[in-house]
Amino acid sequence: PDLLPTCNGEITTMSFLQDVVDILLQYVVKSFDRSTKVIDFHYPNELLQEYNWELADQPQTLEEILSNCRTTLKYAIKTGHPRYFNQLSTGLDMVGLAADWLTSAANTNMFTYEIAPVFVLLEYVTLRKMREMVGWPGGCGDGIFSPGGAISNMYAMLIARFKMFPEVKEKGMAAIPRLVAFTSEHSHFSVKKGAAALGIGTDSVILIRCDERGKMIPSDLERRIVEAKQKGFVPFLVSATAGTTVYGAFDPLIAVADICKKYKIWMHVDGAWGGGLLMSRKHKWKLNGIERANSVTWNPHKMMGVPLQCSALLVREEGLMQSCNQMHASYLFQQDKHYDLSYDTGDKALQCGRHVDVFKLWLMWRAKGTTGFEAQIDKCLELAEYLYNKIKNREGYEMVFDGKPQHTNVCFWYIPPSLRGMEDNEERTSRLNKVAPVIKARMMEYGTTMVSYQPLGDKVNFFRMVISNPAATHQDIDFLIDEIERLGQDL
């Protein structure tokens, strides 16, 4: 009760927030200190028993509140740590952090110019710049920041369906033919999830075969489209992936665009992971053809290191998003306001309340410039190549696919000494399947590093190493290899 808005609460408030900032600053500094753990791992029941997390009727003191803040950060994963490689989004950007603090202090909603004037304009400017980088003339089109790549992909499906059958908005799925969408077998699960949510159904998502590097095979796409049409289904969307989750593969966008044009199907590019490469003159050729897409998902919170979450859906045709989603709520979107109503962007979103995600990206872009993002991204790709070169011929390592990685995903098996002489049979396979999970569990218990593993298709558990943290260096890659060998030696 001593903090603002209490009468004369200024002094207590300033000192409380100063204490909070001190706790945060210590955490930030620790995050980059290689001698600290990435994670102080405890099992869920241990954490539940060790502290009292329950909510009570009576208020706690501010001292206790500060102690809660310290405890929470003590067990948090240091996602900015140079040795945290677990997710596609890693790192901790100082300007992005400052922007997030400012956004929380301003605490407004993104639906109208009336209550978020600067933020609405920054979203307009930033989305236009991103569309320009996709290659749409003059940055024309539309877009929105959404809560993550899965929702951006769902928006694309929603808009593609509306473009083909506008009546679906009022009449629902019963009024239109059976729709089918196409995406690769390595694509993100959000395409199926979107189909389920939109009432299209997961059975209506047809998975296209990939080559051994994880890229969609265009001839298989065309074959499946023809087959679906013969059955009387209506193909309405192809979702190509630029940077798949596991292999980091880029689908052949030009070939996909040709097929979409031939059969008049909406082309979406899920560049949640690979979109950042548009910032790099050296690597953006991997997305050649993206300018022919009807819509693009791009998550600056992945490769570009913007604090979570920051995901954009970009749409080539202007006005489509608005027609698809608007509901004309008269208590928000009054038509007789005294400013240009085109800046009231809330009616093109599915959400009503929408978090301000643009400011982090905009402020970081101002601070780094495009060339700063480019340098950061090029460095991460260079580190991935360094890792690949280091292990491709090293004893005890097997690559999951041949050739140097297109993105920062490096996929490999670690073969412990006990399996090295074994012939490739069922027993070896089942033993190899258990190696990565044990090493990962040991990594977490020691708290030294974190790397993701998974099976894929007929391939047993392998490590998927990804690099998107600008803090990572060659010595962190060296450390990771030594650590895998140290923890897996006896398996």
Side-chain angles (χ1 to χ4, degrees):
D2 312 325
L3 302 175
L4 286 173
T6 298
C7 190
N8 300 326
E10 292 88 341
I11 292 172
T12 322
T13 300
M14 294 295 272
S15 95
F16 170 69
L17 288 178
Q18 197 58 61
D19 289 343
V20 172
V21 168
D22 289 343
I23 290 170
L24 294 175
L25 293 180
Q26 282 168 18
Y27 177 76
V28 167
V29 169
K30 254 195 195 152
S31 282
F32 294 100
D33 175 0
R34 287 178 172 76
S35 68
T36 64
K37 290 179 162 192
V38 174
I39 171 184
D40 181 357
F41 182 78
H42 286 64
Y43 288 96
N45 55 338
E46 295 175 330
L47 271 187
L48 282 173
Q49 284 156 16
E50 205 167 319
Y51 297 92
N52 174 20
W53 306 95
E54 294 308 314
L55 299 164
D57 292 340
Q58 298 308 313
Q60 287 193 314
T61 65
L62 288 181
E63 255 328 298
E64 290 171 312
I65 295 302
L66 291 169
S67 161
N68 294 157
C69 290
R70 287 188 197 96
T71 304
T72 302
L73 286 177
K74 174 171 161 56
Y75 298 108
I77 312 289
K78 294 194 190 75
T79 57
H81 196 291
R83 291 173 181 168
Y84 173 77
F85 301 110
N86 210 65
Q87 268 16 81
L88 301 182
S89 45
T90 61
L92 181 57
D93 188 273
M94 296 305 112
V95 173
L97 182 60
D100 228 350
W101 288 349
L102 183 144
T103 301
S104 290
N107 192 32
T108 189
N109 217 316
M110 275 304 282
F111 33 62
T112 59
Y113 181 81
E114 182 176 327
I115 59 163
V118 180
F119 295 135
V120 162
L121 293 179
L122 295 182
E123 187 170 70
Y124 172 79
V125 166
T126 307
L127 287 169
R128 189 183 59 201
K129 177 75 174 172
M130 291 171 85
R131 291 192 299 266
E132 227 169 76
M133 300 193 81
V134 164
W136 295 332
C140 68
D142 209 335
I144 199 156
F145 282 93
S146 87
I151 303 292
S152 293
N153 287 342
M154 189 170 92
Y155 265 121
M157 299 180 89
L158 185 71
I159 297 163
R161 177 176 71 177
F162 176 80
K163 171 76 176 168
M164 195 175 259
F165 294 104
E167 64 272 28
V168 74
K169 183 176 174 181
E170 286 80 24
K171 307 245 186 316
M173 288 294 283
I176 63 172
R178 167 86 185 269
L179 301 179
V180 285
F182 305 84
T183 189
S184 91
E185 55 187 357
H186 284 209
S187 70
H188 194 258
F189 66 86
S190 56
V191 179
K192 281 196 162 181
K193 198 167 255 202
L198 296 175
I200 293 164
T202 55
D203 286 353
S204 303
V205 177
I206 296 172
L207 298 182
I208 305 304
R209 290 217 320 272
C210 291
D211 65 18
E212 62 289 343
R213 293 289 307 265
K215 295 166 179 288
M216 185 195 285
I217 300 172
S219 60
D220 194 53
L221 171 64
E222 184 159 18
R223 184 177 70 82
R224 301 302 296 268
I225 289 171
V226 170
E227 209 172 85
K229 289 175 76 127
Q230 282 165 351
K231 289 181 182 161
F233 301 148
V234 177
F236 82 108
L237 171 129
V238 173
S239 178
T241 314
T244 58
T245 315
V246 181
Y247 281 10
F250 290 80
D251 285 343
L253 302 182
I254 294 173
V256 171
D258 288 343
I259 293 168
C260 288
K261 184 180 173 189
K262 179 172 171 184
Y263 294 97
K264 300 188 174 53
I265 305 174
W266 182 282
M267 176 181 172
H268 174 63
V269 174
D270 175 2
W273 174 222
L277 266 54
L278 290 169
M279 294 284 197
S280 163
R281 284 167 293 195
K282 184 175 174 191
H283 294 286
K284 68 176 181 202
W285 61 271
K286 295 167 188 173
L287 296 107
N288 282 352
I290 194 170
E291 70 287 346
R292 295 175 59 190
N294 299 91
S295 56
V296 172
T297 292
W298 176 355
N299 287 7
H301 69 223
K302 293 198 168 92
M303 201 61 209
M304 290 162 68
V306 177
L308 286 158
Q309 53 198 25
C310 186
S311 170
L313 174 78
L314 310 169
V315 182
R316 189 166 62 188
E317 185 181 327
E318 203 179 342
L320 195 55
M321 218 174 179
Q322 187 83 7
S323 327
C324 175
N325 294 326
Q326 70 186 358
M327 290 293 154
H328 306 288
S330 56
Y331 53 85
L332 267 184
F333 308 114
Q334 302 88 339
Q335 294 305 295
D336 46 7
K337 293 183 180 180
H338 64 294
Y339 58 79
D340 178 352
L341 293 176
S342 71
Y343 291 105
D344 281 2
T345 52
D347 217 9
K348 64 181 169 195
L350 279 181
Q351 297 163 267
C352 175
R354 192 158 65 88
H355 186 261
V356 175
D357 288 329
V358 67
F359 191 65
K360 301 170 282 200
L361 171 57
W362 179 83
L363 202 65
M364 280 173 67
W365 209 324
R366 295 280 283 195
K368 291 177 198 288
T370 308
T371 56
F373 276 125
E374 176 179 50
Q376 186 176 309
I377 288 163
D378 286 354
K379 179 188 158 194
C380 288
L381 279 126
E382 190 272 316
L383 282 178
E385 198 167 334
Y386 171 78
L387 169 63
Y388 167 73
N389 287 331
K390 193 175 159 99
I391 63 175
K392 66 176 177 191
N393 299 318
R394 188 180 177 99
E395 193 189 5
Y397 291 84
E398 263 176 45
M399 304 310 295
V400 173
F401 55 84
D402 291 335
K404 76 174 191 194
Q406 278 224 296
H407 205 348
T408 69
N409 310 48
V410 184
C411 299
F412 61 89
W413 288 282
Y414 171 68
I415 318 287
S418 69
L419 296 184
R420 283 179 204 169
M422 273 183 84
E423 59 175 298
D424 197 355
N425 55 22
E426 226 163 279
E427 193 204 339
R428 180 183 187 271
T429 304
S430 88
R431 281 171 63 180
L432 183 56
N433 192 35
K434 299 187 180 97
V435 171
V438 173
I439 294 178
K440 172 67 176 273
R442 290 175 178 180
M443 279 176 179
M444 289 177 72
E445 301 215 337
Y446 281 108
T448 48
T449 183
M450 282 175 76
V451 183
S452 172
Y453 73 82
Q454 68 277 306
L456 186 72
D458 58 354
K459 295 177 163 54
V460 299
N461 284 321
F462 55 85
F463 286 110
R464 176 207 64 172
M465 169 71 183
V466 279
I467 304 160
S468 61
N469 188 345
T473 62
H474 293 96
Q475 77 180 72
D476 298 311
I477 304 293
D478 296 342
F479 172 84
L480 174 81
I481 295 303
D482 293 343
E483 196 60 358
I484 286 175
E485 292 172 4
R486 176 178 86 87
L487 297 173
Q489 209 53 29
D490 62 335
L491 295 179

